[in-house]
Amino acid sequence: MSYLRAIHPKRSGGELAGVQVCCPGKVNLFLSAGSPTSDGYHPLTTVFQAVNVHETVIASVRDHQTSVTMSLESPNPSVPTDESNLAVRAALLFKKRYGITQGVHLHVDKKIPAAGGMAGGSADAAATLRACDALFNSEASLEDLESLARELGADVPFLLTGGVALAEGRGDLITPLTTDMELTWVLAFQREGLSTPAVFREFDRLHDGREELTPAAMPEPLIKALREGDIDLLADSLCNDLEQAAINLHPDMAETLRLARSSGALAAMVSGSGPTVAALVTGPEQARSVQTLLETLPQVAGTMIVHGPVAGAHVEN
């Protein structure tokens, strides 16, 4: 594709139109990490599942500006709105790649907890790429958008398509997985977030002095469970190498995990780099029971029952 052709914003009735895109968060069913390479990144083998808690991004053109601006539906001091925000960076990268001179405003309604291990920032970035593609009629292919996504972060390429996928490399080399299995999770959000770099630093400290780690190979038992719909095998195959590091930094999570596991959930684990705890349950009745118990914990700021897999970033208007 040539990036030199003229690209014009989408119009509705002659007026510049905003484009609304929703993008889900994710849980990691499996996450194995290796020692950092010379570039500082940790090689990963992980299995993502997109779940039905969504970020919403509305992108609109600012004809008399050239910058990218951002606002939040419910302002959160922990979420920046400048160029350190991944969604703003996504819009800037898209503008640069396609030679767009107009400004873009992003209005973001966040439902995924910030610094919660569910890729809320990456979801905003994936949604922004889809929104800018629709807004400027760029007709970018999925491969084009995935190329941009890989420049932004490890989780962003997966969230463009969602579903379930094996991810390798930095977590950005995606192989979709086929399953007819719908999973129900109870998510317990902790009152304080965790920095992903801090969790990886603690992971490195825990393994300091040991031989170099390599991420596990493809998790065959978990993939078999997804393919055959075997929820017991899947529960036994859940794994997160970052869990202990996250608990060390956020000790209250250990109690959340213990209660989730003792309350009847099939399994419970830290989602990604934490601190969100994801409890796998058999269905709505068990979900409500586990949710009720987890809400009694003082360190739990809130809970949510979610399902997966769901589709990735998609235009809603």
Side-chain angles (χ1 to χ4, degrees), residues 42-109:
H42 294 73
L44 302 175
T45 300
T46 187
V47 175
F48 292 123
Q49 182 183 66
V51 294
N52 67 334
V53 51
H54 291 83
E55 304 281 89
T56 301
V57 174
I58 301 174
S60 54
V61 174
R62 294 294 185 260
D63 260 337
H64 302 295
Q65 300 178 17
T66 59
S67 61
V68 174
T69 56
M70 179 178 173
S71 59
L72 297 172
E73 183 74 17
S74 301
N76 182 337
S78 70
V79 179
T81 56
D82 58 14
E83 290 185 21
S84 64
N85 188 286
L86 205 57
V88 174
R89 288 164 52 195
L92 289 168
L93 184 61
F94 191 95
K95 275 165 49 68
K96 181 179 179 180
R97 176 70 62 89
Y98 286 92
I100 294 165
T101 58
Q102 294 118 311
V104 175
H105 180 73
L106 306 173
H107 184 70
V108 181
D109 184 4

Side-chain angles (χ1 to χ4, degrees), residues 28-33 44-47 200 239-242 272-273:
N28 297 75
L29 308 183
F30 182 92
L31 196 165
S32 176
L44 302 175
T45 300
T46 187
V47 175
F200 273 105
C239 171
N240 184 354
D241 282 358
L242 299 181
S273 57

Side-chain angles (χ1 to χ4, degrees), residues 116-128:
M118 294 186 66
S122 295
D124 293 339
T128 296

Side-chain angles (χ1 to χ4, degrees), residues 26-28 116-118 187 240 243 269-278:
K26 58 81 181 171
V27 294
N28 297 75
M118 294 186 66
L187 305 179
N240 184 354
E243 185 165 290
M269 65 190 303
V270 172
S271 176
S273 57
T276 299
V277 168

Side-chain angles (χ1 to χ4, degrees), residues 56-312:
T56 301
V57 174
I58 301 174
S60 54
V61 174
R62 294 294 185 260
D63 260 337
H64 302 295
Q65 300 178 17
T66 59
S67 61
V68 174
T69 56
M70 179 178 173
S71 59
L72 297 172
E73 183 74 17
S74 301
N76 182 337
S78 70
V79 179
T81 56
D82 58 14
E83 290 185 21
S84 64
N85 188 286
L86 205 57
V88 174
R89 288 164 52 195
L92 289 168
L93 184 61
F94 191 95
K95 275 165 49 68
K96 181 179 179 180
R97 176 70 62 89
Y98 286 92
I100 294 165
T101 58
Q102 294 118 311
V104 175
H105 180 73
L106 306 173
H107 184 70
V108 181
D109 184 4
K110 295 192 67 65
K111 301 298 184 187
I112 301 170
M118 294 186 66
S122 295
D124 293 339
T128 296
L129 292 177
R130 288 281 190 199
C132 287
D133 176 44
L135 189 65
F136 292 101
N137 302 310
S138 64
E139 300 178 358
S141 67
L142 177 59
E143 290 74 18
D144 294 330
L145 295 179
E146 286 177 338
S147 174
L148 294 173
R150 280 191 288 273
E151 295 186 42
L152 293 165
D155 299 333
V156 185
F158 166 70
L159 293 171
L160 285 171
T161 54
V164 183
L166 173 73
E168 298 172 285
R170 297 178 182 179
D172 59 348
L173 303 176
I174 306 297
T175 303
L177 299 175
T178 301
T179 181
D180 293 326
M181 193 178 200
E182 181 178 90
L183 301 181
T184 301
W185 302 89
V186 178
L187 305 179
F189 307 126
Q190 309 301 290
R191 294 195 179 278
E192 296 180 11
L194 272 177
S195 157
T196 297
V199 174
F200 273 105
R201 286 194 295 270
E202 177 64 11
F203 173 80
D204 292 339
R205 188 193 69 78
L206 289 173
H207 294 89
D208 187 36
R210 304 185 192 181
E211 62 184 52
E212 185 171 331
L213 295 174
T214 56
M218 185 179 296
E220 294 290 354
L222 188 139
I223 292 173
K224 180 175 185 288
L226 288 168
R227 185 173 60 246
E228 298 180 359
D230 187 335
I231 195 167
D232 292 320
L233 176 59
L234 186 136
D236 290 341
S237 304
L238 298 177
C239 171
N240 184 354
D241 282 358
L242 299 181
E243 185 165 290
Q244 188 57 57
I247 291 171
N248 287 359
L249 297 176
H250 207 314
D252 284 346
M253 276 196 302
E255 184 183 4
T256 308
L257 285 163
R258 280 195 298 271
L259 183 57
R261 289 163 180 162
S262 65
S263 66
L266 294 172
M269 65 190 303
V270 172
S271 176
S273 57
T276 299
V277 168
L280 178 66
V281 294
T282 55
E285 184 175 345
Q286 188 181 64
R288 287 189 292 271
S289 174
V290 172
Q291 181 183 38
T292 299
L293 287 172
L294 290 177
E295 286 177 342
T296 66
L297 293 174
Q299 69 268 21
V300 172
T303 62
M304 183 180 293
I305 298 170
V306 300
H307 308 278
V310 297

